[in-house]
Amino acid sequence: MPGGPFGGALRSGRVDRRDRLIRSGLALASELSLEHVLQRIVEAAAELTEARYGALGVLGPDGRIVQFVTTGITPEQRAAMGDPPAGHGLLGLLIEEARPVRIPVIHEHPHSVGFPPNHPPMTSFLGAPVSSRGTAYGNLYLTDKRGGEPFDEEDEEAIVVLAAQAGIAVENARLYEEAHARERWLAASAEIATTILARTHTDEAIRLIASRARELVNADLAWVVAPMPSGALRVAFADGQRADAILGMDLPMDDSISGDVIRTGRAVVVHDPTDDDRAFEPLIEAGHVGPAVFVPLSVHGRAFGTLAAAHEPGGRPFEEEAIRLLESFADQAALALEYARVQQEVERLAVLEDRERIAKELHDGVIQALFAVGMGLQGTALMSGDEELATRIEGAVGELDRVIRDLRNYIFGLRPGILADRQLDKALRALVEEFQSKSGIVTIVELDETVASELSRMAGDVVQLTREALSNVGRHSDAATCRVSLFQRDGTAVLEVDDDGKGFDPETVRRGDGLTNLEQRTAALGGKVAFESVPTQGTTVRIEIPV
């Protein structure tokens, strides 16, 4: 009877379930964290239907399960079960048909494929798709109603309503996260631009790019790869877990994902790097790299590096929105780096113009004046009848000649074009000849003319480096012989000055201005300098300059 005790209890149960549905919908609508929304959906569904176990399979763009949120299973049980389900069997049926599925006994259904090892035993099943505005976000899975009876029609109706509420909540949470991500993108881009405009060193800007990129897409690890003069690639900067393990690592251009991205200028998304033949295994293993995305750092269609972000193995693949966000951020970062490069080039040209002006003034003004003074003194010496006075005057004229030669050397350094016209190899040979005549140290020259030609644009700096190194030999080495070599190795120009002198202990010797000047001038050319010396066994100064 409708008015009897059973009818009243039934109405009371429906009202109670309706109230719980309303409360669940309000709770989901108030939650903006996608991770928390997913967990609350599963827990609300299990509570509403009195299910012992519940799960929510989040679908990726390809329709596969990319995230699996559970309730009723302990972390230990979850770990023992291994990887998330691939979406076969009953789970696959729900994905394909996208409609509610209610099954009294799981193992009797024709689509049942059994359970993986260490999976809890389950009997009844209820599932429903979670979607909003035609977009499928995932599927709700519930098993084993408490009390042992199968799920009924009312359970199915309730879970359909909850799934609809869940779809709206998931959409809202994703929109909020996208808005928050774009806000972080704007902040990160502004920070990069501010760093560049503040004339901070480019290395600091690239480090900031790696750091902000990792935060932007919530990755475990991010790194920047740049080409080297030798043609190989190198991890220039890394941020996040195991960053130290991959920082400075060299990888090939031909057999690496980064090399492929630089050549094609297109992003590459990898779900499992261990299954990709292009992946550089040492980096994947050292960085503990799982799902990853590699995007080009490019300006005007030309890629000059890559920006990569990755999760640990087993992590969920990057979503389309995160990939687009990373690509857009990389474009902004590359534009900022290009601006910094152009500014440095403008400053370099300004310095060259200033050096050209100073050189012209020295050549046309100071040297001509010194020549006139020297000629006047020589005339005075010829007219003087005092032999001692004439000798002193000739000594002063000789000193003026030395000053004029030094000024010319300075002019050669200020105006590389002068040396380029004279050819670098000839200028170096003339410098060595002058050094040998003054110091008495037998000096051998071994020059590769091709390398000298390639270095003509920085000829003034190369001459100054050689002069500084030879000056150290003449002042400190007590050497009998010395050798100046210029050759190419692995795409790099190498200038070596070695002697057979008394040598020194690099760990204990006090560093003077000579060694410091060599290091600073070499660094300004983008190269590096090494000092090799052993007491009583001579010294080698090796300068490497990118060609």
Side-chain angles (χ1 to χ4, degrees):
M1 295 174 60
F6 295 106
L10 183 61
R11 285 195 300 273
S12 176
R14 288 179 174 175
V15 170
D16 179 61
R17 175 169 285 182
R18 184 189 63 190
D19 289 342
R20 284 190 290 165
L21 268 173
I22 293 173
R23 288 197 302 270
S24 297
L26 291 174
L28 292 175
S30 65
E31 183 62 68
L32 294 176
S33 167
L34 182 59
E35 182 180 351
H36 292 164
V37 164
L38 299 177
Q39 189 64 49
R40 294 188 74 162
I41 290 172
V42 176
E43 293 172 355
E47 179 186 356
L48 196 64
T49 58
E50 298 181 353
R52 188 180 302 276
Y53 304 109
L56 175 60
V58 180
L59 301 179
D62 56 359
R64 297 190 304 173
I65 296 175
V66 296
Q67 189 177 0
F68 206 64
V69 183
T70 63
T71 186
I73 298 176
T74 65
E76 292 74 19
Q77 288 176 310
R78 177 71 185 274
M81 290 164 56
D83 295 333
H88 302 305
L90 293 179
L91 305 190
L93 174 66
L94 190 56
I95 293 173
E96 292 174 5
E97 298 191 359
R99 63 175 179 81
V101 175
R102 180 161 47 95
I103 301 170
V105 182
I106 293 175
H107 72 269
E108 294 179 356
H109 195 278
H111 282 83
S112 176
V113 294
F115 299 108
N118 303 312
H119 195 286
M122 297 178 181
T123 304
S124 58
F125 177 87
L126 175 61
V130 176
S131 62
S132 177
R133 300 182 185 181
T135 301
Y137 293 115
N139 293 292
L140 268 173
Y141 311 110
L142 301 165
T143 61
D144 287 8
K145 189 176 179 70
R146 296 183 188 275
E149 67 272 16
F151 295 102
D152 57 25
E153 187 176 346
E154 290 186 7
D155 292 323
E156 182 177 329
E157 290 176 356
I159 205 66
V160 168
V161 174
L162 181 64
Q165 294 174 336
I168 296 173
V170 170
E171 183 181 21
N172 289 340
R174 286 194 169 182
L175 289 174
Y176 175 78
E177 288 201 349
E178 289 177 8
H180 189 53
R182 291 188 178 279
E183 182 182 348
R184 297 199 308 269
W185 177 89
L186 289 172
S189 298
E191 187 176 8
I192 299 297
T194 301
T195 300
I196 295 296
L197 292 174
R199 305 295 179 90
T200 306
H201 197 280
T202 306
D203 288 354
E204 175 63 21
I206 298 177
R207 184 200 64 77
L208 196 61
I209 288 170
S211 174
R212 295 298 176 264
R214 183 186 64 79
E215 297 171 359
L216 199 61
V217 295
N218 297 316
D220 296 315
L221 177 66
W223 64 97
V224 174
V225 169
M228 301 299 293
S230 62
L233 302 175
R234 178 169 295 173
V235 179
F237 293 90
D239 183 80
Q241 299 177 14
R242 297 177 179 261
D244 293 341
I246 67 171
L247 183 61
M249 180 179 290
D250 290 338
L251 50 156
M253 173 69 82
D254 295 332
D255 299 316
S256 67
I257 298 176
S258 292
D260 191 44
V261 171
I262 291 175
R263 283 194 301 272
T264 64
R266 294 192 297 270
V268 171
V269 181
V270 182
H271 295 304
D272 185 0
T274 59
D275 291 339
D276 196 309
D277 294 336
R278 299 168 298 174
F280 185 59
E281 291 185 6
L283 187 146
I284 301 302
E285 293 177 1
H288 206 50
V289 175
V293 55
F294 300 77
V295 298
L297 290 169
S298 57
V299 174
H300 305 307
R302 181 185 62 84
F304 60 86
T306 63
L307 173 62
H311 294 307
E312 289 190 335
R316 57 176 177 169
F318 289 92
E319 298 180 355
E320 289 295 328
E321 179 63 23
I323 296 170
R324 289 195 297 269
L325 207 60
L326 196 63
E327 287 181 311
S328 181
F329 178 69
D331 289 341
Q332 293 293 321
L335 192 62
L337 291 175
E338 177 66 7
Y339 173 81
R341 187 195 67 79
V342 172
Q343 286 297 107
Q344 291 175 351
E345 185 67 14
V346 169
E347 292 174 359
R348 189 183 71 85
L349 291 175
V351 171
L352 289 178
E353 289 179 359
D354 199 40
R355 290 168 64 176
E356 179 75 17
R357 178 186 60 78
I358 295 172
K360 190 174 185 304
E361 291 177 358
L362 286 174
H363 184 271
D364 297 343
V366 177
I367 287 183
Q368 297 300 328
L370 289 175
F371 263 125
V373 172
M375 293 178 64
L377 289 174
Q378 284 181 324
T380 302
L382 290 174
M383 292 185 296
S384 173
D386 189 329
E387 185 175 347
E388 182 180 354
L389 178 60
T391 301
R392 289 185 178 182
I393 292 175
E394 287 298 334
V397 171
E399 186 64 18
L400 282 175
D401 287 341
R402 184 192 66 77
V403 171
I404 290 172
R405 284 197 302 270
D406 288 344
L407 281 174
R408 281 176 170 168
N409 289 333
Y410 296 145
I411 292 172
F412 292 156
L414 289 168
R415 300 177 66 182
I418 297 176
L419 279 176
D421 294 340
R422 296 179 54 196
Q423 296 181 353
L424 176 59
D425 59 327
K426 293 182 179 179
L428 289 177
R429 293 182 190 280
L431 177 63
V432 168
E433 182 179 349
E434 180 184 357
F435 169 76
Q436 181 174 252
S437 64
K438 287 185 176 181
S439 65
I441 300 174
V442 177
T443 306
I444 302 170
V445 185
E446 297 177 354
L447 302 179
D448 185 327
E449 294 183 1
T450 301
V451 179
S453 175
E454 291 176 344
L455 293 178
S456 61
R457 65 182 180 84
M458 57 183 73
D461 292 302
V462 175
V463 169
Q464 293 290 8
L465 286 168
T466 309
R467 177 180 289 110
E468 188 70 55
L470 289 175
S471 176
N472 289 336
V473 173
R475 287 183 296 170
H476 307 300
S477 70
D478 291 338
T481 60
C482 175
R483 179 178 59 189
V484 176
S485 308
L486 181 64
F487 56 92
Q488 185 168 331
R489 181 171 59 200
D490 298 331
T492 301
V494 181
L495 173 66
E496 280 188 356
V497 178
D498 58 88
D499 63 73
D500 61 357
K502 61 184 180 181
F504 61 90
D505 183 354
E507 298 295 329
T508 59
V509 71
R510 184 181 68 83
R511 299 175 66 82
D513 292 339
L515 300 184
T516 302
N517 289 341
L518 283 173
E519 289 176 332
Q520 292 177 347
R521 189 180 287 272
T522 304
L525 298 177
K528 58 183 179 180
V529 60
F531 306 101
E532 298 176 2
S533 185
V534 177
T536 73
Q537 297 184 28
T539 300
T540 298
V541 176
R542 183 176 298 106
I543 298 169
E544 298 182 4
I545 304 172
V547 175

